Each structure stands twice: as structure tokens, then as C-alpha cells.
Amino acid sequence: MLPAVLLQSFGEGGDEGDANYVSPFDATVVEKLKTIGMVNLGKLNCDEFAMGSANENSAFGAVKNPWDTQAVPGGSSGGSAAAVAARLAPAATATDTGGSIRQPASFCGVTGIKPTYGRVSRFGMIAYASSLAQGGVIAQTAQDCALLLGEIAGFDPRDSTSMDRPVDDYMAGLDNPLAGLRIGLPKEYFSEGLAAEVEQPIREALKVFEKLGATLVDISLKNTDLCIPAYYVIAPAEASSNLSRYDGVRYGYRAEHYTDIQDMYRKSRSQGFGDEVQRRILVGTYVLSHGYYDAYYIQAQRVRRLIANDYKDAFRQCDIIMGPVAPTVAWNLGAQVDDPVANYLGDIFTISTNLAGLPGMSIPCGFGQGGHAKRPVGLQLTGSWFSEAKLLNAAHRFQQVTDWHLKTPENR
Ligand code: GLN
């Protein structure tokens, strides 16, 4: 069980001037954890406004991956994953709008769960994209994730996106046998874009599930290639709208020197926001503007519906979908800083979960082969809406017969 310590990170960025910022109130999640006696150790690094896959968009610079300090920790919740991997804390909070719990958990060899949209209150969190973002947990084991999720999940009248629906007892079913479990393998996830050094540990993990009594079923998520374009229209659109309140008047940073109010807005926003945030505000404003709204934003929403329908069809054939979290292991720090599109493409296996609002997990299942023997690989589990208990049960059973989750950068 967990000792009473916890680190928190919510997907908010910050300019360097705010390094010592202390929030005047607690988020619902923090409040709930305090109530059960958890001690909050402090803040963790994340990409600015949760936009990124490598932690390198943080105003403070990226944290290093504890397994290999040349490698990125993943993002945006890279600080949470790295802290748990380095055993600085037994667990950390994190947010996931397009993979930001699962991908850093995968890159840092720890366990992460992104619950169904609306399962955990977002009161006190800054959502990067309101229809996609959800808070969750990164910990060493599925059992710890179950314990903490059970405490933070539930309806919150202060969050209009939170669901008024009873919370399952995630601990109760952890030991359920997996006999008869149908695991769907999307053919689009096991294609040429997947690095062989990632595919191999994933295939080995699937064999473990077969030994535990599960059966593997081939399925198709046929709109997988549309996930990235749809997400990178919808998420920036919502972000541009959410961030419009950072005008230097009511909210956030204000430029020191300006001539008039227009100049104050311009300087505050261009000095206060980092490059990636500005890029997404520009994209979002463009796709929402008159003349382009139907062609981009509405079209992306239609695609989003198709993606959710693919999942509905898939869950008629299987109980849990499994596959890689990311097409590669963690890349080198600095390798993709000038190539945002390369970063976006790496989100291919995680963002459809958010577009559909589904729960997802990442559990450690091995290491890259060859030159990347120190870089962890994560197995992704995706379930139907509100099936967190089923995901945690499968993950826990896997962790009872494997020891990837027990390995640490110092002891493997
Ligand atoms: N990598 C994705 C992005 O950059 C996911 C971010 C997230 O989940 N917060 O948008």
C-alpha cells in the first residue's frame, strides 16, 4: 500500500516568473487526497498548458528520463512519470488530453491510468482542451492506481463535465481471473509505423495474457489515420478559446512595457506564451474563423464521431483493446524540438481514446532492444466507457506474474 506522500501536477504551464506560484485554493482531487491523509510533496514539471509529448515545451525546460538521462521523459506529464520512476514519490497526479498520462508512463516504465471522460473532477485543473482532458494517476502498480482512482473519482457539482454516476470499487475486482477475457488487437496499430523494438515486448506481453486465460481477437479501428488530423484541429480550437482569457488584464502574465491596450495584449500574449502554445492558438483561431469553420472544425467533429463508432463496433468483439502506447521508445532530448509534426505523429495510438472519451492505461512490459536497452516500453489497455475496473483487473493480474513494474533505473 501507499505511504502517505504524493506529488501533484496539473496540466498547467507557467512562465518563469510564476515558479513559486501557490494556488489560492485546492483542486477537488487535491482536496480528496488530503482528506484521506496523503501528503502533497510539491509541484511537478509539465509541458506548458499540457501541450507536448516530451516535456520540452515547459518554460522550465524538460525533466530527464531517469532510465536514460539522454532521453525525454515523455509528455506532457513527464514530471509526474519521472518522479515515480525515480522513486521520489509512490504516486503522482497527472492529466491526459491526448496521451499525457499514458505516454510518459510508457517512456518512464511506470503505470498510468487515464479514466473515462467525466470520471474525475477537473475543478481546479486547467484544461488544455475541455472536451478531451481528464485527470488521473501515475503510480508504480495497477493496485496503487486502483486505490488512488477510487479516492479521486466521483461526481463534483463544481465541474459541469463530471458524471453523476456511482464509482466502482476498483480494489474489489483486482484479483478476478482473466479466463474468457477477449483482447482486441487493432490491425492498424501493428503496422509498419511501429518500431520492431516496441512490437517485440508488446507481443511477449500478449502471450502472458493468453497464459492467464485471455484470447486474442483481431479487430480494426479503421479511422486510425484520421485521429491525428482530427485531434490537431479540435484540441487547438478549444485551446485557443480557453487561452483567450490570458489577456494580461484579468489573468496571467502582463508585459511590463507597452504603449496602449492593443500593444499590451500583443506583448503580454507573445511574451507570456511559449512557441508551441502560440502555434496552437494560431491553428485554433484559424480553424474556428469564418469561412474555415465548416471545412476544418465541423469536419473534425464528424471524424471524431466516426472514431467513437469504431470503438463501439470493436467493443462488440472484445472486452479490452491492447497495443503499443507509442510507435517508438523515448527519443533523445532535443531530437524533435524543431519538428512539431514529428511530435504530433507520435500521438497516433493515444489520442483516439480521448476523442472517444474512453479510459486507458499504460503498463510497463519491457525495454527497447539493441541500442535502447535502457528505454522502457509500455503496453496500452483501452476499455469501453467506465470500464476502469476491468482495465485495472487485467493490469494487476499481469503485474502479479511479471516484474517489469518492480524494476527501477538503479535495479533491473
Ligand atoms: N502529446 C499530446 C499533445 O501534445 C497530448 C497532450 C496531453 O495529453 N496533454 O497535444
Side-chain angles (χ1 to χ4, degrees):
M1 290 293 144
L2 292 167
V5 283
L6 175 96
L7 287 162
Q8 69 156 320
S9 136
F10 289 129
E12 66 216 270
D15 54 78
E16 281 162 72
D18 280 348
N20 297 316
Y21 177 77
V22 177
S23 171
F25 67 96
D26 282 338
T28 297
V29 164
V30 174
E31 224 169 56
K32 286 187 167 195
L33 291 170
K34 275 189 181 167
T35 309
I36 58 162
M38 302 290 285
V39 177
N40 182 1
L41 292 179
K43 294 197 278 189
L44 289 157
N45 201 17
C46 68
D47 285 297
E48 191 174 320
F49 291 105
M51 298 176 185
S53 309
N55 214 243
E56 291 176 310
N57 297 334
S58 164
F60 305 100
V63 299
K64 292 178 179 164
N65 189 319
W67 289 95
D68 180 345
T69 52
Q70 305 285 308
V72 297
S76 60
S77 309
S80 302
V84 175
R87 303 305 192 242
L88 300 179
T93 54
T95 62
D96 191 312
T97 304
S100 282
I101 288 177
R102 291 158 288 153
Q103 186 256 26
S106 170
F107 282 11
C108 290
V110 290
T111 305
I113 184 160
K114 172 240 176 262
T116 307
Y117 183 77
R119 182 67 298 180
V120 170
S121 169
R122 288 203 321 231
F123 179 77
M125 295 182 199
I126 296 179
Y128 145 37
S130 306
S131 76
L132 300 159
Q134 179 60 187
V137 184
I138 293 179
Q140 289 161 26
T141 65
Q143 191 175 27
D144 285 351
C145 285
L147 188 64
L148 285 174
L149 183 62
E151 297 298 339
I152 64 172
F155 176 63
D156 182 358
R158 294 177 297 185
D159 172 7
S160 61
T161 68
S162 111
M163 285 286 276
D164 193 358
R165 164 187 173 119
V167 178
D168 293 328
D169 183 345
Y170 302 124
M171 295 296 277
L174 280 183
D175 287 321
N176 288 349
L178 300 188
L181 182 81
R182 297 167 304 163
I183 296 176
L185 306 180
K187 68 170 193 273
E188 294 79 5
Y189 285 24
F190 293 89
S191 61
E192 60 203 60
L194 179 62
E197 64 172 344
V198 172
E199 179 165 1
Q200 204 203 327
I202 300 286
R203 297 273 183 205
E204 292 299 320
L206 294 170
K207 284 185 200 155
V208 174
F209 279 102
E210 281 186 297
K211 280 204 193 114
L212 289 168
T215 48
L216 306 182
V217 188
D218 288 324
I219 59 159
S220 172
L221 294 173
K222 55 183 184 305
N223 290 297
T224 296
D225 58 344
L226 298 179
C227 291
I228 291 176
Y231 173 90
Y232 279 99
V233 168
I234 294 168
E238 293 183 12
S240 72
S241 161
N242 282 346
L243 296 176
S244 61
R245 65 182 184 266
Y246 287 83
D247 57 6
V249 178
R250 291 161 297 179
Y251 230 84
Y253 172 84
R254 179 187 293 186
E256 242 174 82
H257 307 287
Y258 48 86
T259 49
D260 57 21
I261 189 157
Q262 288 299 336
D263 194 42
M264 194 268 282
Y265 289 152
R266 195 178 308 116
K267 288 197 173 127
S268 298
R269 287 171 66 82
S270 40
Q271 290 167 13
F273 291 132
D275 288 351
E276 183 62 23
V277 177
Q278 292 192 36
R279 185 177 297 121
R280 293 192 195 198
I281 290 173
L282 289 172
V283 170
T285 308
Y286 180 82
V287 300
L288 289 176
S289 57
H290 184 70
Y292 297 104
Y293 182 79
D294 289 335
Y296 292 104
Y297 183 71
I298 294 293
Q299 189 67 4
Q301 292 290 13
R302 290 196 184 107
V303 169
R304 181 177 191 173
R305 174 54 58 99
L306 296 179
I307 290 164
N309 287 345
D310 287 352
Y311 276 113
K312 270 192 197 148
D313 291 343
F315 287 122
R316 287 193 194 101
Q317 301 164 57
C318 66
D319 305 300
I320 295 181
I321 295 172
M322 291 195 193
V325 174
T328 63
V329 292
W331 52 89
N332 284 348
L333 283 157
Q336 291 188 8
V337 277
D338 297 324
D339 192 353
V341 175
N343 257 269
Y344 302 167
L345 294 175
D347 294 337
I348 176 94
F349 303 136
T350 48
I351 50 186
S352 55
T353 312
N354 303 73
L355 288 167
L358 298 166
M361 282 191 78
S362 172
I363 56 175
C365 70
F367 293 87
Q369 313 293 310
H372 292 141
K374 288 200 292 185
R375 301 194 184 181
V377 173
L379 173 73
Q380 180 165 226
L381 287 66
T382 309
S384 189
W385 292 269
F386 297 99
S387 69
E388 286 80 0
K390 200 181 282 179
L391 298 182
L392 289 160
N393 167 216
H396 179 65
R397 295 294 294 199
F398 179 81
Q399 293 185 337
Q400 283 178 319
V401 296
T402 57
D403 63 356
W404 302 112
H405 61 294
L406 300 176
K407 296 188 190 296
T408 65
E410 280 167 357
N411 171 25
R412 47 172 297 218

